[in-house]
């Protein structure tokens, strides 16, 4: 079955196959590559960026602590 998703990529995290995209209506979704589905993100681009930067920092702290 062929279908098309009407979204444009806006943010990709290195090492993560899923991509954040913007829809034609301006909302943000995460494209789940394994299921070919769009998962809504509740927020704007700046909230998304803040969330991802915070998660990156937390991963760095955990790695440095050895956990």
């Amino acid at each position: 079955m062929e279908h098309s998703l009407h979204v444009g990529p806006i943010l990709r995290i290195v090492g993560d196959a899923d991509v954040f995209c913007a829809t034609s209506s301006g909302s943000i979704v995460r494209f789940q590559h394994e299921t070919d589905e769009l998962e809504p993100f509740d927020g704007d681009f700046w909230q998304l960026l803040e969330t991802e930067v915070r998660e990156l920092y937390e991963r760095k702290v955990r790695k440095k602590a050895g956990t």
Side-chain angles (χ1 to χ4, degrees):
M1 179 170 129
E2 185 176 323
H3 66 281
S4 93
L5 301 172
H6 299 282
V7 296
I10 59 170
L11 182 68
R12 181 177 179 275
I13 307 304
V14 174
D16 188 348
D18 296 338
V19 180
F20 287 97
C21 301
T23 66
S24 58
S25 65
S27 60
I28 296 176
V29 294
R30 184 175 192 155
F31 173 67
Q32 302 286 337
H33 80 284
E34 288 185 3
T35 60
D36 204 28
E37 295 177 341
L38 299 175
E39 173 188 315
F41 175 79
D42 186 29
D44 63 19
F45 176 77
W46 300 110
Q47 291 167 321
L48 170 61
L49 190 58
E50 180 181 354
T51 299
E52 291 302 319
V53 169
R54 183 176 47 251
E55 289 179 7
L56 174 63
Y57 174 76
E58 290 169 359
R59 286 190 301 272
K60 179 182 174 185
V61 168
R62 283 193 307 270
K63 185 173 182 177
K64 192 172 184 179
T67 58

